[in-house]
Amino acid sequence: MDKVEIVKTLWSKFSSGDYKGSRPLFSEKLEIVWPTSREYYESVEEFIAVNEIFGKDWTFEIRHVENTGSEGVISIVYVTSPSCPNSFYATSVFTFSSHQIARMETYWAFEDGQPEWRKGLSKVY
């Protein structure tokens, strides 16, 4: 499986709530960083545990995924759940070691509306 396929498989497993099934995709020396909330996880077990608590009804719709060259892949996923009124975009930068995810740095953003101050300055789609 190439690196892009590994990332696609990760999001597919997460969308089906199969967090534990994603375990083989990760290196033993996994590092997960969420800069927007200043959190990090130093093991696969920690990362799987937080996602198990997060819940199993989330959908991670891939909007974009590409190989960045050398050892990297970047993905953008749209994250929704029927049990949550908010939706999110997650932009993740992956690095690999021995065909496993060694580092995943994810920037989370809420989906929201156009701010008042930009009305008339930008268009809404």
Side-chain angles (χ1 to χ4, degrees), residues 57-60 78-82 84 86-88:
D57 66 345
W58 291 88
T59 300
F60 296 79
Y78 182 60
V79 184
T80 59
S81 168
C84 181
N86 297 315
S87 53
F88 311 90

Side-chain angles (χ1 to χ4, degrees), residues 1-26 30 32 44 47-48 51 58-62 65 73 75 77 92-94 96 100-101 103-106:
M1 192 172 353
D2 72 15
K3 294 171 187 158
V4 167
E5 287 304 314
I6 291 170
V7 171
K8 287 180 177 180
T9 300
L10 171 70
W11 295 131
S12 176
K13 288 190 175 296
F14 271 40
S15 285
S16 64
D18 186 14
Y19 303 119
K20 289 180 182 171
S22 69
R23 174 73 182 83
L25 303 174
F26 295 109
L30 177 67
I32 302 289
V44 178
F47 186 57
I48 289 174
N51 282 289
W58 291 88
T59 300
F60 296 79
E61 178 190 329
I62 297 171
V65 62
V73 169
S75 76
V77 293
S92 300
V93 180
F94 298 87
F96 295 81
Q100 289 180 305
I101 299 166
R103 188 170 199 279
M104 180 179 172
E105 185 171 322
T106 301

